Amino acid sequence: MSKTNITSTISKTITLIIVMCLTLVACNSVPKSEPLPTQVPAPQLIDLDPSENDTNITATSDVYYETDKFYLLIDEGVTCPSDIATTINVIMDELEELSKLSFYPDSIPTPEDGVAEIKEPWSQVIEDKDKVCIHFKAEENTIRKGETTANCVTIFAPFYNTNEYGLSVIAHELTHLLIFRNAKVNSLVMLEGIAEVYGDKACLAIDGFPICYESYEYGTGIIQESVTAFNSRDLFTSEFTSSPNKKAVYQYGTAFVTFLFETYGEDWLVRYIGAIEINDIHSPEDIALELEDIFEKDVFEKFAVWYQDNFERFRYQDYGDDDIVLALM
């Protein structure tokens, strides 16, 4: 082959390679078509004004209701009383009246439990991120009935029904939210005790619903003999973490908060929340020291004596039928 032919062949080969490379680059530069993200339908605004012929509503899709105080978010498939928004308003008003605290204080601290992220589909309709959200979830939870952060209460099926137990669950979680929006740190005993006592006091505002403390679901009088003037403070700071009775922290907390309310007046909670927000609080021991400073140095010893005189008030009383009522106040 002549030198001219070899040169021509090499030139053609190089040209072909360049063309192939340019074609490959061009093909790779064409944007690939990707599936568009599925748009979750926005929840629909509903009217929850109760009527004589409509005692319950069942959500056929994700729906919501808004008041000045809260958003009510209802999952598809949830059935709840048509007057549920009215009931929640009453509970929230009662909690503010009883506690002397506000769901909307001048500044909302970020508690250890944090703030819930508003997710789809609710992020499409919630414009005021600081407004309280109450979410009725269609899914059940085998571990808990509800959970709460500083901006959202979640109630798992079926505890949004306003029988005496479901009502207590809602009020209990709303009390948690009220405290979270006023204090960033608390002890487990105080947190659960306040929610038990104030939540069920609020329930008394609803005619026909007796107090129904969560604390006594798993037995009565379990901590009766264990609270003494010598160990009541240690029990408080231990938060019953080693106790086989998982409700002991609720039982101690319920009795202790009742004692504080009755002994130191209705404004005890405002004094307590104010003190723990001003001072550097990090642990149950810090909380115990604060309680001794706010009230009396021997507050735990006095509680132990008070409890031994009052523990019968914290038992379920059976009146011979299916109704269970707690004799408290």
Side-chain angles (χ1 to χ4, degrees):
M1 183 179 292
S2 67
K3 184 181 292 186
T4 302
N5 289 339
I6 293 172
T7 303
S8 176
T9 300
I10 293 173
S11 177
K12 289 179 180 178
T13 302
I14 292 173
T15 301
L16 180 61
I17 291 172
I18 292 172
V19 169
M20 291 176 64
C21 289
L22 290 173
T23 302
L24 183 61
V25 170
C27 289
N28 288 336
S29 67
V30 175
K32 296 178 180 179
S33 60
E34 296 181 358
L36 295 173
T38 303
Q39 180 67 37
V40 179
Q44 298 300 302
L45 180 66
I46 60 169
D47 185 3
L48 279 179
D49 290 336
S51 67
E52 293 181 3
N53 299 320
D54 185 19
T55 57
N56 291 294
I57 62 111
T58 299
T60 56
S61 63
D62 293 334
V63 297
Y64 75 102
Y65 182 77
E66 184 179 3
T67 74
D68 291 340
K69 274 189 177 291
F70 61 88
Y71 290 102
L72 178 59
L73 317 176
I74 305 176
D75 279 4
E76 179 181 355
V78 165
T79 298
C80 62
S82 58
D83 64 350
I84 187 66
T86 301
T87 300
I88 291 172
N89 260 320
V90 170
I91 291 173
M92 292 179 73
D93 287 347
E94 282 296 314
L95 286 174
E96 289 184 321
E97 177 68 24
L98 286 164
S99 68
K100 316 304 180 190
L101 300 172
S102 171
F103 281 99
Y104 293 96
D106 292 337
S107 64
I108 300 175
T110 301
E112 292 180 340
D113 280 23
V115 174
E117 178 187 356
I118 304 301
K119 299 179 180 180
E120 289 277 6
W122 312 108
S123 58
Q124 299 181 56
V125 297
I126 294 176
E127 296 179 356
D128 185 350
K129 298 296 189 293
D130 290 329
K131 185 176 283 192
V132 170
C133 293
I134 302 163
H135 186 188
F136 287 176
K137 293 205 72 156
E139 69 178 84
E140 294 191 37
N141 189 313
T142 57
I143 298 175
R144 61 186 64 185
K145 303 168 186 68
E147 59 188 20
T148 302
T149 64
N151 64 331
C152 188
V153 166
T154 299
I155 307 294
F156 297 102
F159 296 104
Y160 34 70
N161 296 323
T162 49
N163 55 33
E164 61 266 28
Y165 194 67
L167 193 68
S168 287
V169 172
I170 294 171
H172 181 101
E173 298 301 331
L174 281 170
T175 307
H176 277 327
L177 186 141
L178 177 63
I179 298 303
F180 287 158
R181 288 171 81 87
N182 285 273
K184 63 178 180 288
V185 178
N186 213 330
S187 83
L188 188 58
V189 169
M190 295 300 289
L191 193 64
E192 298 301 348
I194 292 167
E196 290 288 85
V197 174
Y198 282 79
D200 282 311
K201 281 178 178 292
C203 288
L204 293 176
I206 312 296
D207 290 341
F209 292 105
I211 292 176
C212 184
Y213 279 122
E214 160 106 358
S215 314
Y216 304 96
E217 178 183 359
Y218 296 99
T220 60
I222 295 175
I223 64 169
Q224 173 194 340
E225 301 300 332
S226 63
V227 180
T228 70
F230 300 102
N231 70 1
S232 62
R233 191 184 191 280
D234 290 338
L235 289 173
F236 180 92
T237 56
S238 74
E239 298 191 323
F240 296 87
T241 52
S242 61
S243 174
N245 170 25
K246 300 307 179 185
K247 291 296 177 179
V249 67
Y250 291 80
Q251 294 172 340
Y252 184 106
T254 298
F256 188 61
V257 168
T258 303
F259 159 75
L260 293 173
F261 186 96
E262 295 183 2
T263 306
Y264 299 105
E266 294 184 6
D267 69 340
W268 80 270
L269 184 56
V270 171
R271 295 165 61 193
Y272 168 71
I273 293 294
I276 65 174
E277 274 303 285
I278 290 173
N279 297 315
D280 193 23
I281 302 296
H282 297 285
S283 68
E285 174 63 29
D286 291 338
I287 296 287
L289 290 170
E290 207 60 49
L291 286 164
E292 290 168 338
D293 186 58
I294 301 167
F295 303 113
E296 298 174 271
K297 184 67 177 175
D298 60 350
V299 63
F300 291 102
E301 291 85 348
K302 287 185 174 179
F303 164 64
V305 173
W306 179 93
Y307 182 72
Q308 292 303 322
D309 290 336
N310 288 274
F311 72 87
E312 286 289 353
R313 295 166 57 191
F314 300 93
R315 290 180 180 273
Y316 275 131
Q317 308 295 319
D318 191 342
Y319 290 93
D321 53 28
D322 293 333
D323 294 326
I324 300 295
V325 178
L326 183 67
L328 180 64
M329 296 298 179

Short mmCIF file of all heavy atoms in Angstrom, two decimals, residues 45-46 48-49 64-72 84-86 88-89 92-93 104 128 131-132 134:
data_model
loop_
_atom_site.label_atom_id
_atom_site.label_comp_id
_atom_site.label_asym_id
_atom_site.label_seq_id
_atom_site.Cartn_x
_atom_site.Cartn_y
_atom_site.Cartn_z
N LEU A 45 -60.21 21.01 53.71
CA LEU A 45 -60.78 21.67 54.87
C LEU A 45 -62.22 21.20 55.05
O LEU A 45 -62.99 21.16 54.09
CB LEU A 45 -60.75 23.18 54.68
CG LEU A 45 -61.30 24.05 55.82
CD1 LEU A 45 -60.43 23.91 57.06
CD2 LEU A 45 -61.36 25.51 55.38
N ILE A 46 -62.59 20.84 56.30
CA ILE A 46 -63.95 20.37 56.56
C ILE A 46 -64.61 21.23 57.64
O ILE A 46 -63.95 21.99 58.34
CB ILE A 46 -63.98 18.89 57.01
CG1 ILE A 46 -63.16 18.71 58.30
CG2 ILE A 46 -63.49 17.99 55.91
CD1 ILE A 46 -63.35 17.34 58.94
N LEU A 48 -66.71 21.06 61.09
CA LEU A 48 -66.98 20.13 62.18
C LEU A 48 -68.06 20.64 63.12
O LEU A 48 -68.12 20.23 64.27
CB LEU A 48 -65.70 19.85 62.98
CG LEU A 48 -64.75 18.82 62.38
CD1 LEU A 48 -63.52 18.66 63.26
CD2 LEU A 48 -65.44 17.48 62.21
N ASP A 49 -68.92 21.52 62.65
CA ASP A 49 -70.02 21.96 63.50
C ASP A 49 -70.99 20.80 63.70
O ASP A 49 -71.50 20.23 62.75
CB ASP A 49 -70.77 23.13 62.84
CG ASP A 49 -69.92 24.39 62.83
OD1 ASP A 49 -69.03 24.48 63.69
OD2 ASP A 49 -70.15 25.26 61.98
N TYR A 64 -58.72 18.29 57.34
CA TYR A 64 -58.28 19.08 58.49
C TYR A 64 -59.33 20.14 58.83
O TYR A 64 -60.22 20.46 58.04
CB TYR A 64 -56.93 19.74 58.22
CG TYR A 64 -56.98 20.93 57.29
CD1 TYR A 64 -56.92 22.23 57.79
CD2 TYR A 64 -57.06 20.76 55.90
CE1 TYR A 64 -56.95 23.32 56.93
CE2 TYR A 64 -57.09 21.85 55.05
CZ TYR A 64 -57.03 23.13 55.57
OH TYR A 64 -57.06 24.21 54.73
N TYR A 65 -59.21 20.65 60.06
CA TYR A 65 -60.10 21.69 60.57
C TYR A 65 -59.21 22.68 61.33
O TYR A 65 -58.24 22.28 61.99
CB TYR A 65 -61.13 21.07 61.51
CG TYR A 65 -62.15 22.02 62.07
CD1 TYR A 65 -63.22 22.47 61.31
CD2 TYR A 65 -62.05 22.46 63.39
CE1 TYR A 65 -64.16 23.34 61.84
CE2 TYR A 65 -62.99 23.33 63.93
CZ TYR A 65 -64.04 23.77 63.15
OH TYR A 65 -64.98 24.64 63.67
N GLU A 66 -59.53 23.96 61.24
CA GLU A 66 -58.68 24.97 61.88
C GLU A 66 -59.49 25.89 62.77
O GLU A 66 -60.59 26.33 62.41
CB GLU A 66 -57.95 25.80 60.82
CG GLU A 66 -56.97 26.81 61.41
CD GLU A 66 -56.23 27.61 60.35
OE1 GLU A 66 -56.51 27.42 59.14
OE2 GLU A 66 -55.37 28.44 60.73
N THR A 67 -58.96 26.16 63.97
CA THR A 67 -59.53 27.15 64.86
C THR A 67 -58.43 28.17 65.19
O THR A 67 -57.30 28.05 64.72
CB THR A 67 -60.04 26.52 66.17
OG1 THR A 67 -58.91 26.18 67.01
CG2 THR A 67 -60.85 25.26 65.90
N ASP A 68 -58.78 29.16 66.02
CA ASP A 68 -57.77 30.12 66.44
C ASP A 68 -56.67 29.47 67.26
O ASP A 68 -55.54 29.96 67.31
CB ASP A 68 -58.42 31.24 67.27
CG ASP A 68 -59.32 32.13 66.43
OD1 ASP A 68 -59.16 32.13 65.20
OD2 ASP A 68 -60.20 32.80 67.01
N LYS A 69 -57.00 28.34 67.90
CA LYS A 69 -56.05 27.70 68.80
C LYS A 69 -55.26 26.56 68.17
O LYS A 69 -54.13 26.28 68.60
CB LYS A 69 -56.78 27.14 70.04
CG LYS A 69 -56.99 28.12 71.18
CD LYS A 69 -57.50 27.40 72.40
CE LYS A 69 -57.65 28.35 73.59
NZ LYS A 69 -56.38 28.81 74.11
N PHE A 70 -55.82 25.87 67.19
CA PHE A 70 -55.15 24.65 66.71
C PHE A 70 -55.60 24.25 65.31
O PHE A 70 -56.65 24.68 64.83
CB PHE A 70 -55.41 23.49 67.68
CG PHE A 70 -56.86 23.12 67.84
CD1 PHE A 70 -57.47 22.21 66.98
CD2 PHE A 70 -57.62 23.68 68.86
CE1 PHE A 70 -58.81 21.88 67.13
CE2 PHE A 70 -58.96 23.36 69.01
CZ PHE A 70 -59.56 22.45 68.15
N TYR A 71 -54.77 23.42 64.70
CA TYR A 71 -55.15 22.65 63.53
C TYR A 71 -55.51 21.25 64.00
O TYR A 71 -54.77 20.65 64.79
CB TYR A 71 -53.99 22.50 62.53
CG TYR A 71 -53.56 23.74 61.81
CD1 TYR A 71 -52.43 24.44 62.20
CD2 TYR A 71 -54.25 24.18 60.68
CE1 TYR A 71 -51.99 25.56 61.50
CE2 TYR A 71 -53.83 25.29 59.97
CZ TYR A 71 -52.70 25.98 60.39
OH TYR A 71 -52.28 27.08 59.69
N LEU A 72 -56.62 20.71 63.53
CA LEU A 72 -56.96 19.31 63.77
C LEU A 72 -56.74 18.55 62.46
O LEU A 72 -57.38 18.84 61.45
CB LEU A 72 -58.42 19.19 64.22
CG LEU A 72 -58.93 17.78 64.48
CD1 LEU A 72 -58.11 17.07 65.54
CD2 LEU A 72 -60.40 17.80 64.88
N ILE A 84 -65.78 17.05 68.14
CA ILE A 84 -64.45 16.86 68.72
C ILE A 84 -63.69 18.18 68.83
O ILE A 84 -62.96 18.40 69.81
CB ILE A 84 -63.64 15.83 67.90
CG1 ILE A 84 -62.32 15.51 68.58
CG2 ILE A 84 -63.40 16.31 66.47
CD1 ILE A 84 -62.46 14.80 69.90
N ALA A 85 -63.84 19.08 67.86
CA ALA A 85 -63.13 20.36 67.93
C ALA A 85 -63.62 21.19 69.11
O ALA A 85 -62.82 21.84 69.81
CB ALA A 85 -63.30 21.13 66.63
N THR A 86 -64.92 21.15 69.36
CA THR A 86 -65.48 21.86 70.52
C THR A 86 -64.93 21.27 71.81
O THR A 86 -64.56 22.01 72.74
CB THR A 86 -67.02 21.75 70.51
OG1 THR A 86 -67.51 22.31 69.30
CG2 THR A 86 -67.62 22.47 71.70
N ILE A 88 -62.06 19.66 72.25
CA ILE A 88 -60.65 20.02 72.39
C ILE A 88 -60.51 21.48 72.84
O ILE A 88 -59.67 21.80 73.69
CB ILE A 88 -59.90 19.78 71.07
CG1 ILE A 88 -59.80 18.27 70.80
CG2 ILE A 88 -58.51 20.40 71.10
CD1 ILE A 88 -59.25 17.93 69.43
N ASN A 89 -61.34 22.36 72.30
CA ASN A 89 -61.31 23.77 72.73
C ASN A 89 -61.58 23.89 74.22
O ASN A 89 -60.92 24.66 74.94
CB ASN A 89 -62.33 24.58 71.94
CG ASN A 89 -61.69 25.36 70.80
OD1 ASN A 89 -60.61 25.92 70.95
ND2 ASN A 89 -62.36 25.39 69.66
N MET A 92 -58.53 22.66 76.19
CA MET A 92 -57.43 23.61 76.15
C MET A 92 -57.71 24.84 77.01
O MET A 92 -56.84 25.33 77.73
CB MET A 92 -57.13 24.01 74.71
CG MET A 92 -56.56 22.86 73.88
SD MET A 92 -56.22 23.28 72.13
CE MET A 92 -54.77 24.33 72.29
N ASP A 93 -58.95 25.33 76.96
CA ASP A 93 -59.32 26.47 77.80
C ASP A 93 -59.21 26.11 79.28
O ASP A 93 -58.73 26.91 80.10
CB ASP A 93 -60.76 26.92 77.49
CG ASP A 93 -60.87 27.63 76.15
OD1 ASP A 93 -59.83 28.01 75.58
OD2 ASP A 93 -62.01 27.80 75.67
N TYR A 104 -49.81 29.71 74.06
CA TYR A 104 -49.08 30.66 73.22
C TYR A 104 -48.39 31.70 74.09
O TYR A 104 -48.78 32.87 74.13
CB TYR A 104 -50.03 31.31 72.22
CG TYR A 104 -50.55 30.31 71.22
CD1 TYR A 104 -51.77 29.69 71.39
CD2 TYR A 104 -49.78 29.94 70.11
CE1 TYR A 104 -52.24 28.73 70.50
CE2 TYR A 104 -50.22 28.98 69.21
CZ TYR A 104 -51.45 28.38 69.40
OH TYR A 104 -51.89 27.43 68.51
N ASP A 128 -49.39 28.41 59.51
CA ASP A 128 -48.82 28.93 60.75
C ASP A 128 -48.08 27.80 61.46
O ASP A 128 -48.68 26.95 62.11
CB ASP A 128 -49.95 29.47 61.64
CG ASP A 128 -49.42 30.13 62.90
OD1 ASP A 128 -48.22 30.02 63.18
OD2 ASP A 128 -50.23 30.77 63.62
N LYS A 131 -48.60 27.30 65.27
CA LYS A 131 -49.90 26.91 65.80
C LYS A 131 -49.89 25.44 66.20
O LYS A 131 -49.28 24.60 65.54
CB LYS A 131 -51.00 27.18 64.78
CG LYS A 131 -52.41 26.91 65.31
CD LYS A 131 -53.49 27.29 64.31
CE LYS A 131 -53.71 28.78 64.27
NZ LYS A 131 -54.94 29.14 63.50
N VAL A 132 -50.57 25.13 67.30
CA VAL A 132 -50.67 23.75 67.79
C VAL A 132 -51.34 22.87 66.74
O VAL A 132 -52.35 23.25 66.14
CB VAL A 132 -51.49 23.71 69.10
CG1 VAL A 132 -51.81 22.28 69.50
CG2 VAL A 132 -50.74 24.43 70.21
N ILE A 134 -52.99 18.98 66.22
CA ILE A 134 -53.48 17.76 66.87
C ILE A 134 -53.80 16.78 65.77
O ILE A 134 -54.70 17.00 64.97
CB ILE A 134 -54.72 18.06 67.74
CG1 ILE A 134 -54.37 19.11 68.80
CG2 ILE A 134 -55.22 16.77 68.40
CD1 ILE A 134 -55.55 19.77 69.43
#
